[in-house]
Amino acid sequence: MKVPDTPENLEICKQYCGTCPTFRENKLMESEPHALFCARGVSAKKDAVNKGCNCMDCPVAQKYNLKGGWFCFHAPEE
Ligand code: SF4
Ligand code: SF4
């Protein structure tokens, strides 16, 4: 099931992507689609450095049974 791009999910994402070292180090907020990558797709920032990922602790990932993590780099595995 695809993750809906809702204000509720964005608020949850802010707590997890928002505190992620990859998000902060690469200033992903400044590139489209800013956050909620599991719903909106990968970040437009192409040279991002991987500093870890909080997605697997996120309730959105758990609710939609998302696998893989690092959704700013690649789409959830099917
Ligand atoms: S998708 Fe994962 S790696 Fe990317 S910013 Fe969010 S928590 Fe960090
Ligand atoms: S699974 Fe990752 S990209 Fe999706 S809402 Fe949670 S922290 Fe954000």
Side-chain angles (χ1 to χ4, degrees), residues 27-64:
K27 298 185 169 62
L28 296 186
M29 191 65 194
E30 296 175 9
S31 301
E32 293 284 332
H34 311 297
L36 200 53
F37 307 104
C38 59
R40 296 174 176 175
V42 299
S43 176
K45 184 162 176 62
K46 289 303 172 208
D47 56 352
V49 180
N50 180 2
K51 295 282 185 179
C53 180
N54 292 340
C55 286
M56 290 296 97
D57 295 328
C58 171
V60 174
Q62 289 162 8
K63 179 174 179 180
Y64 292 94

Side-chain angles (χ1 to χ4, degrees):
M1 188 178 13
K2 193 174 178 333
V3 179
D5 183 355
T6 60
E8 292 77 16
N9 284 344
L10 181 59
E11 281 307 309
I12 297 168
C13 188
K14 282 181 184 172
Q15 297 173 38
Y16 292 86
C17 278
T19 58
C20 169
T22 298
F23 188 83
R24 293 185 164 188
E25 172 99 5
N26 298 293
K27 298 185 169 62
L28 296 186
M29 191 65 194
E30 296 175 9
S31 301
E32 293 284 332
H34 311 297
L36 200 53
F37 307 104
C38 59
R40 296 174 176 175
V42 299
S43 176
K45 184 162 176 62
K46 289 303 172 208
D47 56 352
V49 180
N50 180 2
K51 295 282 185 179
C53 180
N54 292 340
C55 286
M56 290 296 97
D57 295 328
C58 171
V60 174
Q62 289 162 8
K63 179 174 179 180
Y64 292 94
N65 197 25
L66 303 180
K67 302 210 167 34
W70 284 277
F71 304 131
C72 59
F73 290 111
H74 53 73
E77 295 166 13
E78 293 295 325

